[in-house]
Amino acid sequence: MKPLKIYDLKKKYYFAKYKILFNKALKEGKITRFDDEIFEKMNSTIIACLPVSLYIKYSNYLFAEGTCYDRSLYMFLALDNAILVRGKNKDLEYNYCKGNEGHGWIEIGDFVYDPSLMLKFDKATYYSLYECSNVKKIDKQTYLQEHKEFVDSHISHDLDEFKPNGKRRLELGVLIFQIKELSKILGDEQFTKDINDYLSLIEYDEKQINMEREEAIKRILTNESKA
């Protein structure tokens, strides 16, 4: 039997320690699941015609695996006083090899919200568990100033924009069709209910939207022919 290399020994020790510390923090209430309150706070921010609360609650359906940067960005944009964080986590390095340890999360006060794990951590506990390094942070005001065009184009805080005659109504078409089809395939009753509740809230009508889209295309073609 070949002796373990130093790196392998460090890896083995890390996960042994991690398991003990994680379970201890869990019992002490320093690690908890995302609760209804945090999802409620994300309801009023809409990205690509869906509330951020739905993106995060059903992130395993609506995001590809390994998209922690996108997930954390969505949460960051939806929550007041949030700090967007990028860094390296030791567990990712040991699980997926060096070069794959980059991770994204958000911080609010003394807490870390990890949208990949869907867990809220005491900040000191999180940094200790995952041995975070190369950490970089950006606050909301700075991000909004540096990405004003992106935010103005893709972020909304007004459901009326997606209701009949709303200025972003037509954005619902293709994506919502895909989401509805996905809900049929998945057979997740809660996912289907939450999607349908949102569509009811914005008075979604597929036939009406298709008619509005056709009218919009006609107007564009008419204006182009006159030009």
Side-chain angles (χ1 to χ4, degrees):
M1 182 176 178
K2 292 182 179 180
L4 289 173
K5 296 180 180 178
I6 293 178
Y7 184 83
D8 293 328
L9 286 170
K10 288 182 178 179
K11 179 178 176 179
K12 185 177 180 180
Y13 172 74
Y14 170 82
F15 283 116
K17 182 182 72 170
Y18 171 89
K19 185 176 181 179
I20 294 170
L21 294 178
F22 186 94
N23 288 333
K24 182 175 183 292
L26 202 59
K27 290 177 181 178
E28 294 173 347
K30 294 181 179 180
I31 303 174
T32 57
R33 295 172 184 262
F34 286 1
D35 56 22
D36 291 339
E37 182 181 359
I38 198 69
F39 288 113
E40 183 67 28
K41 289 179 178 179
M42 293 187 284
N43 272 339
S44 58
T45 299
I46 306 161
I47 299 178
C49 80
L50 277 183
V52 171
S53 56
L54 291 178
Y55 280 111
I56 300 304
K57 186 175 182 180
Y58 299 105
S59 57
N60 56 325
Y61 298 154
L62 302 177
F63 285 101
E65 186 178 357
T67 51
C68 57
Y69 288 176
D70 291 333
R71 300 180 195 205
S72 56
L73 176 61
Y74 279 36
M75 283 193 74
F76 167 71
L77 291 169
L79 295 170
D80 294 335
N81 303 315
I83 301 295
L84 183 64
V85 189
R86 301 287 183 252
K88 294 182 178 181
N89 280 10
K90 186 60 69 173
D91 71 313
L92 294 176
E93 176 191 328
Y94 285 144
N95 272 312
Y96 302 107
C97 301
K98 288 185 178 180
N100 297 291
E101 63 268 45
H103 193 49
W105 63 92
I106 69 163
E107 297 177 3
I108 302 177
D110 294 326
F111 297 98
V112 166
Y113 292 82
D114 190 308
S116 295
L117 299 173
M118 298 286 283
L119 294 173
K120 174 185 175 182
F121 295 77
D122 166 80
K123 190 189 295 185
T125 298
Y126 188 83
Y127 276 70
S128 176
L129 275 172
Y130 298 104
E131 298 184 11
C132 304
S133 61
N134 295 85
V135 174
K136 297 180 180 179
K137 304 183 181 185
I138 185 169
D139 61 66
K140 186 70 66 70
Q141 182 178 358
T142 302
Y143 183 91
L144 294 179
Q145 289 174 346
E146 294 179 353
H147 301 86
K148 186 177 185 307
E149 185 176 342
F150 165 78
V151 172
D152 291 344
S153 300
H154 296 88
I155 315 300
S156 176
H157 299 281
D158 186 359
L159 280 179
D160 288 344
E161 293 184 357
F162 298 92
K163 292 182 178 180
N165 301 315
K167 68 178 183 179
R168 306 187 74 163
R169 179 73 169 179
L170 295 182
E171 294 179 18
L172 293 171
V174 176
L175 180 59
I176 293 301
F177 173 78
Q178 293 173 338
I179 297 295
K180 286 171 68 68
E181 290 300 304
L182 177 63
S183 71
K184 293 177 185 177
I185 294 170
L186 293 171
D188 183 328
E189 293 182 4
Q190 189 61 52
F191 177 57
T192 299
K193 180 183 183 303
D194 287 348
I195 291 295
N196 287 337
D197 285 348
Y198 169 63
L199 295 181
S200 176
L201 194 63
I202 58 174
E203 303 171 43
Y204 175 80
D205 186 303
E206 188 173 330
K207 291 183 178 179
Q208 180 188 15
I209 289 174
N210 287 336
M211 290 175 59
E212 291 173 353
R213 183 183 292 105
E214 290 177 2
E215 291 174 1
I217 292 173
K218 287 179 182 179
R219 286 196 299 270
I220 293 172
L221 293 175
T222 300
N223 292 333
E224 288 180 348
S225 64
K226 290 180 179 179

